[in-house]
Each structure stands twice: as C-alpha cells, then as structure tokens.
Amino acid sequence: RTERRYADFILKFKVRLVPDEGNSGLQFRSEWLPNGEMYGYQADIGKGWWGSLYDESTGRNLLVSSYEEKGSKAVRKNDWNDYKLEAIKNKIRITINGVVTSEYEDKAARPDGHIAVQVHAGGPLKVEFRDLMIQEK
C-alpha cells in the first residue's frame, strides 16, 4: 500500500492476470486495518469481475457490476491490459483498454485514502502490475 493518502487522482497502469481464473484488484481511498486487510473502494481485476467497482469490507459490497456487459469484452485474457482509474470528488470511473466499464457517483464518497494492490484468497494465480502512473487532480 502507499504510505501517503490520495484524494482526487487519475491512476493508469498495465495489468496481467495469468491464468484469467483468479481475482485481484486495486484498493483506493482505502484504510489499512491492523490485521493487514484493507477496507474501501476496489477496482476489480479477474474473471467475472474485470472492471467492476466493489466497496471492500464496508457492508456495501458490489457497487457496479460490469463484467458481463463490458468488462469481459474489453479485457485481453492472459495478456497486458491498460487500466485507468479516475477518482475525482464523488465520481469514480474505471476504463479497461479504452472501454469505460464502470461509472459511479457516490454521495457518501470517502475523500481520500491509501492505494494498494490486492490478491484475493483462493487458488494460485499470478498478477503483474507495471507502468503505474498517478496524476493528482
């Protein structure tokens, strides 16, 4: 996770999940819990979840499910994917390979928090992140 907190930003990165069977994600505007877990927003990565928006460990859970509609069509399975996450004020947008997969306006948006990569419990998988670039707004 990042040491510092981020509020409004655009984060771009490349991600590859092999095989496309696991579940990963990117936590943002999130808090670090003493047991090592995070709670807060999660931009999802993985079969059945690509491009969805989840609110981890808050009780709200899945905010936008985009996999069937857009995420599955946008992703290049077992290959590098361009992922863009925009969190500006109370609006969140996730884009994969140029396709907007999730847009969400949250009246109760957390104003800031940490950013962290996430690997979900389950079977073995390999997730790689590269070329991470953040632009604060």
Side-chain angles (χ1 to χ4, degrees):
R1 73 166 170 88
T2 59
E3 289 296 320
R4 65 174 284 222
R5 302 170 72 82
Y6 289 88
D8 295 343
F9 62 88
I10 297 173
L11 175 64
K12 297 178 183 179
F13 59 93
K14 293 185 184 299
V15 61
R16 178 169 59 184
L17 179 67
V18 179
D20 185 34
E21 296 293 327
N23 183 333
S24 181
L26 186 96
Q27 293 285 141
F28 64 100
R29 289 186 181 170
S30 293
E31 301 300 326
W32 185 255
L33 298 173
N35 66 2
E37 292 183 21
M38 300 284 288
Y39 78 87
Y41 296 116
Q42 179 177 301
D44 283 320
I45 297 166
K47 185 177 181 180
W49 295 97
W50 281 100
S52 296
L53 178 64
Y54 199 84
D55 203 1
E56 181 70 35
S57 300
T58 64
R60 295 195 309 168
N61 302 323
L62 188 62
L63 299 176
V64 179
S65 175
S66 69
Y67 181 71
E68 293 300 326
E69 184 180 323
K70 297 178 182 176
S72 65
K73 296 171 182 75
V75 72
R76 295 186 289 260
K77 292 177 176 60
N78 302 306
D79 199 357
W80 289 103
N81 290 276
D82 296 312
Y83 209 106
K84 180 177 170 184
L85 169 61
E86 299 170 78
I88 300 171
K89 306 227 182 291
N90 65 340
K91 295 181 181 173
I92 298 167
R93 176 184 291 144
I94 299 171
T95 306
I96 300 176
N97 297 323
V99 177
V100 175
T101 60
S102 292
E103 289 186 286
Y104 189 72
E105 187 169 347
D106 192 347
K107 303 280 189 232
R110 284 177 292 286
D112 65 8
H114 299 281
I115 297 171
V117 295
Q118 182 258 9
V119 176
H120 198 277
L125 70 104
K126 180 178 180 181
V127 62
E128 299 171 283
F129 295 85
R130 72 176 188 195
D131 302 336
L132 285 85
M133 182 178 63
I134 191 163
Q135 176 187 9
E136 293 185 85
K137 292 292 192 176

